[in-house]
């Protein structure tokens, strides 16, 4: 019998202090409330959610006040939650707001959700927009993978390890992605990288490990592949990702595989019957 493990991915919520708007425009708290409502009312009704991964930029300025507000907003989500910092976050403020394995150094986390080993990596470079994984983080990842064998893994970090075609964001991607991908190439079980930062739903199929960027529930980075394109954002419909790990019968033997779905937020008509 096929078993399913469902993990929601939220990203780039950019919560600001009460009474303010991100960039003077975006009520990010309203959009996070909308995402929480959709997860609890729409997705949970389709079957239990097993966990939540939040892939960085929880807040806009990394202040304790913003983290307190963020925690209040996601309080209705009661399943296991994994967080990691993005470039807008503050490492020590996050350490004070959430439970992490270590009291100093990178905020790396290993959480088992069903059969899935979620390995959340700290790619934050203080006061810089780009991402980088320290030697300490890469060694931590190798050590964890050595004990996991070939069980399914979800490697989560804020900065994507691939170019998106949006030039000003590609300058801010993960700088040592080849090291990460080479490490993951040795893992023979089901695997995927999930990340954020670009505020758009984008996938990449590197043969060492597939990677997927989650949208923000709020604003999106403008889709612009022109050289020297402006650094703009738009108010496209936001979303979350629903990742499912299943143990399917593959070629006569049981094995795990991932699939990922974009879930739009907001209100829309339907469902309607096809009448078949």
């Amino acid at each position: 019998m096929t078993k399913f493990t469902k993990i929601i991915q939220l990203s780039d919520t950019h919560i600001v202090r009460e009474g303010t708007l991100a960039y003077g425009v975006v009520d990010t708290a309203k959009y996070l409330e909308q995402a929480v409502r959709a997860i609890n009312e729409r997705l949970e009704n389709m079957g239990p959610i097993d966990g939540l991964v939040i892939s960085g930029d929880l807040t806009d300025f990394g202040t304790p006040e913003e983290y307190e507000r963020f925690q209040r907003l996601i309080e209705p989500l009661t399943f296991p939650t994994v967080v990691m910092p993005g470039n807008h976050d503050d490492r020590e403020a996050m350490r004070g707001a959430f439970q992490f394995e270590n009291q100093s150094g990178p905020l790396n986390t290993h959480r088992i959700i069903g059969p899935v080993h979620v390995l959340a990596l700290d790619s934050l470079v203080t006061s810089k927009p780009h991402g980088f994984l320290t030697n300490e983080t890469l060694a931590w990842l190798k050590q964890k993978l050595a004990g996991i064998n070939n069980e399914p893994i979800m490697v989560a970090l804020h900065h994507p390890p691939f170019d998106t075609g949006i030039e000003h964001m590609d300058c801010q991607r993960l700088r040592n992605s080849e090291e990460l991908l080479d490490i993951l190439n040795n893992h023979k079980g089901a695997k995927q990288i999930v990340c954020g930062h670009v505020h758009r739903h984008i996938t990449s199929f590197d043969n060492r490990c597939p990677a997927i960027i989650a949208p923000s529930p709020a604003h999106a980075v403008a889709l612009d592949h022109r050289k020297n394109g402006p650094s703009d954002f738009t108010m496209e419909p936001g979303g979350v990702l629903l990742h499912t790990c299943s143990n399917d019968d593959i070629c006569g033997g049981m094995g795990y595989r991932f699939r990922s779905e974009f879930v739009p937020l907001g209100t829309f008509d339907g469902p309607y019957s096809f009448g078949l």
Side-chain angles (χ1 to χ4, degrees):
M1 179 180 178
T2 300
K3 295 182 180 178
F4 299 94
T5 298
K6 295 184 177 182
I7 299 174
I8 294 287
Q9 184 188 358
L10 259 173
S11 197
D12 297 275
T13 50
H14 286 267
I15 295 303
V16 294
R17 61 184 176 84
E18 292 194 49
T20 62
L21 302 174
Y23 308 104
V25 176
V26 190
D27 187 348
T28 50
K30 179 187 75 173
Y31 289 106
L32 180 52
E33 287 174 336
Q34 178 179 261
V36 167
R37 195 161 50 247
I39 292 168
N40 274 339
E41 294 177 3
R42 237 168 64 216
L43 297 182
E44 185 79 4
N45 288 339
M46 299 181 202
I49 302 297
D50 299 289
L52 172 69
V53 168
I54 307 174
S55 49
D57 281 2
L58 284 62
T59 67
D60 212 28
F61 295 101
T63 67
E65 180 184 1
E66 289 173 336
Y67 288 113
E68 288 173 11
R69 190 181 190 199
F70 174 85
Q71 289 176 313
R72 290 197 305 271
L73 289 166
I74 67 164
E75 192 173 8
L77 302 176
T78 58
F79 22 80
T81 300
V82 179
V83 299
M84 68 223 67
N87 55 293
H88 280 257
D89 290 307
D90 181 273
R91 186 175 285 116
E92 295 314 311
M94 281 191 70
R95 200 188 307 275
F98 302 95
Q99 295 293 320
F100 288 95
E101 297 175 9
N102 57 1
Q103 297 304 308
S104 63
L107 300 179
N108 301 318
T109 302
H110 178 203
R111 176 72 67 86
I112 301 174
I113 301 176
V116 180
H117 291 261
V118 178
L119 299 161
L121 307 180
D122 181 344
S123 59
L124 169 62
V125 180
T126 303
S127 301
K128 299 292 184 181
H130 69 269
F132 189 84
L133 300 175
T134 64
N135 288 336
E136 182 179 350
T137 290
L138 294 173
W140 178 90
L141 177 61
K142 289 178 183 177
Q143 183 255 334
K144 291 294 183 180
L145 289 175
I148 290 173
N149 298 316
N150 288 321
E151 296 169 59
I153 62 169
M154 175 181 289
V155 177
L157 70 162
H158 181 65
H159 296 86
F162 63 91
D163 284 336
T164 65
I166 303 173
E167 187 178 63
H168 67 96
M169 295 304 297
D170 290 340
C171 294
Q172 303 176 20
R173 59 171 275 184
L174 184 69
R175 291 285 172 86
N176 55 341
S177 57
E178 290 300 303
E179 292 178 75
L180 172 63
L181 291 167
D182 284 344
I183 291 171
L184 297 180
N185 189 46
N186 295 320
H187 184 78
K188 302 309 178 187
K191 55 190 171 183
Q192 67 173 2
I193 297 169
V194 301
C195 45
H197 191 53
V198 187
H199 292 230
R200 302 196 68 84
H201 178 209
I202 305 173
T203 57
S204 173
F205 297 98
D206 188 288
N207 60 9
R208 289 166 291 183
C209 187
I212 184 166
I213 301 173
S216 168
H219 51 296
V221 170
L223 179 60
D224 191 334
H225 289 174
R226 294 176 295 176
K227 186 170 180 58
N228 299 318
S231 177
D232 292 338
F233 68 89
T234 62
M235 296 309 300
E236 301 172 33
V240 300
L241 295 184
L242 172 60
H243 304 292
T244 302
C245 181
S246 59
N247 60 334
D248 298 330
D249 186 352
I250 304 171
C251 299
M254 296 303 291
Y256 289 98
R257 64 175 68 186
F258 287 102
R259 72 169 184 263
S260 299
E261 303 168 64
F262 171 77
V263 181
L265 301 175
T267 57
F268 42 82
D269 291 341
Y272 299 104
S273 172
F274 283 110
L276 300 178

